[in-house]
Amino acid sequence: MSPSLEVTTDMRAAGDSEVAIVRVRGEIDLATADRLTRALAGCDQAGRLVLDLNEVGFIDSSGLRVLMMAVRDFESRLGVLFVSGSSVERLFEVAQVLDRIPAFPTQEAAVAALADGGP
Amino acid sequence: MSAAAAAAELALDLPAHPSSVTSARHAVEQWADAFGGRTGDIALAVSEAVGNAVLHAFKGRPAGTIRLRGRHEADRLLVEVSDDGIGMTPNLDSPGLGMGISLISKLALDVRVNTSERGTTIAMAFDTARAAAEGGQ
């Protein structure tokens, strides 16, 4: 069965640096997590990163490891979007990392907050 | 599909390849959905168990087979993921090892791990929807 994951990156000017908007659609597991890793590696020159997981239908610890690396690398320059009650939120709860995820309701809210210096 | 019409047992053998994580998860989701319960939790637990087998069970030897089995007993869904690999061994080069088992232990009612040089079996038990409702969950 071929796993399905689409990762698209948009770079936007915001203030005096760029914000990378990474939108993920599909399922993140061992078969697909490398695609997210590669996409985020391509954002290493961006001043800030917004990771939109609103259309992620499934994520396991393979994806969580990638996300936690982004949390470590971007610190307060990272914003994450996910749907309340989704499998993404469920994983964050079970893994007990919900309080370490800089969550925002919309891309616009994340970009605005990060442009002001962080969440 | 009603539980009565659902396939009572799930049996799937897969190669130890990353794409098998996806295949196993989709299969158990479809099977477990007929019985209700926390299908998402079962899918996550199976994804972790199969992922662990793919990553760790066949180090230093040709990739073998991962077996996924499921059966419905009373108010429980019993799911097993087993491999014919090298068994669980400490591996300092794999910092992620252990996260999967930790997550599974929080998702399932009961988890049993049997590992030896002939392979590893992770047996997990989950509530069906009816059992969860009667338990006030």
Side-chain angles (χ1 to χ4, degrees):
Chain A
M1 183 174 298
S2 95
S4 166
L5 187 74
E6 291 176 35
V7 184
T8 57
T9 302
D10 292 323
M11 302 298 289
R12 291 186 195 169
D16 56 0
S17 67
E18 282 189 315
V19 177
I21 310 285
V22 177
R23 186 175 169 188
V24 188
R25 177 184 297 171
E27 302 182 353
I28 311 172
D29 62 15
L30 187 63
T32 60
D34 279 352
R35 291 181 219 171
L36 182 57
T37 301
R38 286 195 295 271
L40 296 187
C43 299
D44 59 351
Q45 298 303 310
R48 288 147 286 173
L49 172 65
V50 175
L51 185 55
D52 185 343
L53 304 178
N54 278 337
E55 294 183 75
V56 170
F58 177 83
I59 182 172
D60 67 10
S61 65
S62 304
L64 182 60
R65 272 189 280 274
V66 180
L67 178 56
M68 295 314 291
M69 282 192 283
V71 169
R72 179 197 65 195
D73 294 344
F74 280 83
E75 299 181 325
S76 63
R77 298 176 295 119
L78 171 69
V80 180
L81 278 62
F82 57 91
V83 175
S84 178
S86 66
S87 67
V88 176
E89 185 183 57
R90 177 62 175 155
L91 176 64
F92 293 165
E93 287 172 351
V94 175
Q96 297 179 306
V97 298
L98 203 47
D99 61 348
R100 295 169 59 188
I101 306 296
F104 290 91
T106 64
Q107 287 185 13
E108 290 71 24
V111 169
L114 295 176
D116 287 339
Chain B
M1 187 180 357
S2 71
E9 296 197 357
L10 170 69
L12 187 62
D13 291 355
L14 296 159
H17 184 272
S19 65
S20 293
V21 174
T22 315
S23 301
R25 181 174 70 250
H26 290 175
V28 82
E29 260 180 331
Q30 187 174 14
W31 173 76
D33 191 51
F35 301 102
R38 294 191 173 95
T39 305
D41 282 2
I42 298 173
L44 178 54
V46 165
S47 201
E48 298 297 337
V50 176
N52 265 346
V54 171
L55 284 174
H56 304 295
F58 301 100
K59 282 196 168 169
R61 62 192 276 184
T65 301
I66 297 170
R67 291 175 297 279
L68 172 65
R69 300 289 183 267
R71 66 184 193 275
H72 179 223
E73 280 187 12
D75 290 330
R76 297 280 172 91
L77 293 180
L78 307 175
V79 181
E80 277 190 7
V81 173
S82 59
D83 63 67
D84 53 359
I86 60 175
M88 286 185 174
T89 55
N91 186 345
L92 298 178
D93 295 330
S94 297
L97 182 60
M99 186 194 289
I101 297 295
S102 172
L103 288 174
I104 292 168
S105 70
K106 292 174 184 173
L107 294 163
L109 288 173
D110 184 55
V111 183
R112 295 177 191 206
V113 179
N114 187 347
T115 186
S116 74
E117 68 278 6
R118 294 187 303 278
T120 299
T121 297
I122 301 176
M124 304 165 277
F126 302 89
D127 267 342
T128 61
R130 180 182 165 195
E134 289 177 351
Q137 297 179 45

